[in-house]
Amino acid sequence: MSRRRSMEVIEQAKYVTIGELARLTDVRYSTLKFYTEEGLLAFEQAGENRTRRYKRPESVAQIQRIKELRTQGKTIPEIKAML
């Protein structure tokens, strides 16, 4: 039995994992990890295993802003300064 949540559940969830966020936004896991490490995506750590959780609505909106700025040719340092 799979532990993977369905898209319907993910789209209604308050918090998502980085993998679920990748599925929602069609952005690679490694890219989201980079954005997190650069401080562009906020997360919370919960539970005994300290799993990173992202607030779904805020994170999806932030990723959309980053994608828009990247299509405008902005660099990551420029985006960090803008956000």
Side-chain angles (χ1 to χ4, degrees):
M1 188 166 204
S2 175
R3 292 181 55 197
R4 191 173 187 187
R5 299 194 297 179
S6 70
M7 282 303 286
E8 293 80 24
V9 172
I10 293 169
E11 289 171 347
Q12 300 302 315
K14 182 175 180 179
Y15 291 97
V16 294
T17 66
I18 193 168
E20 293 168 342
L21 196 54
R23 289 173 60 198
L24 279 172
T25 60
D26 200 30
V27 174
R28 292 182 358 191
Y29 178 97
S30 59
T31 301
L32 295 177
K33 188 173 178 184
F34 174 75
Y35 290 164
T36 300
E37 291 169 355
E38 289 295 314
L40 295 172
L41 282 177
F43 65 91
E44 297 177 10
Q45 287 189 309
E48 290 179 10
N49 63 359
R50 307 293 289 161
T51 303
R52 289 182 180 184
R53 303 182 321 161
Y54 297 82
K55 288 186 178 180
R56 182 190 48 79
E58 293 90 340
S59 296
V60 170
Q62 182 78 334
I63 291 165
Q64 293 304 322
R65 284 192 294 271
I66 294 168
K67 285 170 100 173
E68 289 171 16
L69 292 169
R70 293 293 288 154
T71 60
Q72 295 173 14
K74 303 291 184 202
T75 65
I76 294 299
E78 289 172 332
I79 293 170
K80 282 174 77 171
M82 295 172 85
L83 300 175

